Amino acid sequence: NAGVTQTPKFQVLKTGQSMTLQCAQDMNHEYMSWYRQDPGMGLRLIHYSVGAGITDQGEVPNGYNVSRSTTEDFPLRLLSAAPSQTSVYFCASSGTGGASGNTIYFGEGSWLTVV
Amino acid sequence: AQSVAQPEDQVNVAEGNPLTVKCTYSVSGNPYLFWYVQYPNRGLQFLLKYITGDNLVKGSYGFEAEFNKSQTSFHLKKPSALVSDSALYFCAVRDLNSGYALNFGKGTSLLVTP
C-alpha cells in the first residue's frame, strides 16, 4: 500500500511565488490534515478536512488554502510565499473504523525553502 | 483545549539501559493519546496509541507506554535501549474539535550512546 503520498519532496521558492503541495491517500480515509514542523515547535495544524467538500482552519492557516474535491486528495496551496513559510510540511490521514481506526498516518514530508 | 507537554528537550541513555520519554496531558473528557517517532529527514512513524482499555499499551519496536489518569501522564518506555532508537519522539493528543487532528508536544530528542 502506498499510504499517504506527498509531492514534491523538496522545493525552493522565491518570495511571492505560489505553489501547491500535493497529498494523496489510498486508504479511503475521511480525515485529512496538513501540518508544518518548525524546530522546537513540534507540529502545528494548518488546515484539516473531515470529508470531501469540507475543510476548516487549524492553528496556523494564514497564507495557505486547501480544497478537498475527492476523498483521496488534499492539496495545500501557498498563495504568495514568504520566508516565514520555510518549513517542513506533513500531510496526514485517518479513518475511524477497524483495527487502524483513530490512527493517523503521515506522509514523508515536503521540505520547502522560501528565499 | 486538548494539549500535551513533553518536559524534556533531550534524553540521553546508554545502550542496554531502560529509557523513559515523558509526556503529560491536559484534556477535557477521555484522551486519545499517541506516540510517534521521527528519524532524520523522514516522516512520522506511529508507535502506539491509547484510546481505552488497559493502561499499559504495547507498540512497535519494543516500545510501550503507561496511561496514568491520576497523574495525567502517558510516558513512553522501553526496557533496553538500542542505538538505533536515537530519534525525535512526539507525544500527541487527538483534538476532537479539529476533525480529529492531533495536537503535538514539542518533541523529545532521544540519544542512545553505545
Side-chain angles (χ1 to χ4, degrees), chain A residues 2-6 23-25 27 29 31-37 43-45 88-94 102-110, chain B residues 34-38 42-47 90-92 100-104:
Chain A
V4 181
T5 303
Q6 289 182 235
C23 176
Q25 52 91 9
M27 297 173 281
H29 284 167
Y31 306 111
M32 296 187 74
S33 48
W34 276 101
Y35 298 82
R36 59 177 289 172
Q37 182 181 20
L43 281 80
R44 293 179 292 169
L45 181 66
V88 184
Y89 293 84
F90 290 99
C91 181
S93 74
S94 68
N102 291 300
T103 299
I104 297 176
Y105 298 91
F106 285 83
E108 286 291 298
S110 296
Chain B
F34 301 79
W35 276 102
Y36 285 84
V37 60
Q38 184 181 33
R42 300 297 302 275
L44 277 73
Q45 296 180 26
F46 169 76
L47 284 178
F90 288 99
C91 181
Y100 292 79
L102 292 174
N103 290 335
F104 284 87

Side-chain angles (χ1 to χ4, degrees), chain B residues 37-43 45 61 63 84-89:
Chain B
V37 60
Q38 184 181 33
Y39 297 98
N41 300 317
R42 300 297 302 275
Q45 296 180 26
Y61 313 121
F63 284 94
S84 58
D85 291 331
S86 298
L88 189 57
Y89 290 81

Side-chain angles (χ1 to χ4, degrees), chain A residues 30-99:
Chain A
E30 300 96 330
Y31 306 111
M32 296 187 74
S33 48
W34 276 101
Y35 298 82
R36 59 177 289 172
Q37 182 181 20
D38 301 292
M41 302 187 73
L43 281 80
R44 293 179 292 169
L45 181 66
I46 305 172
H47 285 284
Y48 65 95
S49 170
V50 299
I54 305 170
T55 64
D56 208 341
Q57 297 179 351
E59 180 184 356
V60 288
N62 292 341
Y64 308 95
N65 269 354
V66 292
S67 59
R68 184 95 181 270
S69 57
T70 67
T71 299
E72 294 78 18
D73 300 300
F74 191 46
L76 178 72
R77 297 182 187 84
L78 279 70
L79 308 173
S80 177
S84 61
Q85 293 179 302
T86 294
S87 187
V88 184
Y89 293 84
F90 290 99
C91 181
S93 74
S94 68
T96 57

Side-chain angles (χ1 to χ4, degrees), chain B residues 91-112:
Chain B
C91 181
V93 62
R94 195 153 201 180
D95 185 350
L96 302 183
N97 296 318
S98 297
Y100 292 79
L102 292 174
N103 290 335
F104 284 87
K106 294 186 177 182
T108 298
S109 179
L110 174 67
L111 179 62
V112 182

Side-chain angles (χ1 to χ4, degrees), chain B residues 1-100:
Chain B
Q2 323 278 71
S3 65
V4 293
Q6 295 178 246
E8 303 157 317
D9 291 335
Q10 182 160 325
V11 170
N12 298 319
V13 64
E15 187 174 31
N17 284 357
L19 70 87
T20 298
V21 183
K22 295 180 180 178
C23 174
T24 58
Y25 65 87
S26 174
V27 304
S28 55
N30 295 322
Y32 287 29
L33 295 162
F34 301 79
W35 276 102
Y36 285 84
V37 60
Q38 184 181 33
Y39 297 98
N41 300 317
R42 300 297 302 275
L44 277 73
Q45 296 180 26
F46 169 76
L47 284 178
L48 51 82
K49 66 183 176 185
Y50 173 83
I51 305 298
T52 187
D54 290 341
N55 290 340
L56 185 63
V57 180
K58 294 189 181 297
S60 305
Y61 313 121
F63 284 94
E64 59 189 27
E66 185 172 8
F67 173 72
N68 188 317
K69 189 172 184 178
S70 62
Q71 298 186 3
T72 62
S73 66
F74 189 56
H75 300 332
L76 181 71
K77 300 181 180 183
K78 188 173 182 180
S80 179
L82 300 172
V83 172
S84 58
D85 291 331
S86 298
L88 189 57
Y89 290 81
F90 288 99
C91 181
V93 62
R94 195 153 201 180
D95 185 350
L96 302 183
N97 296 318
S98 297
Y100 292 79

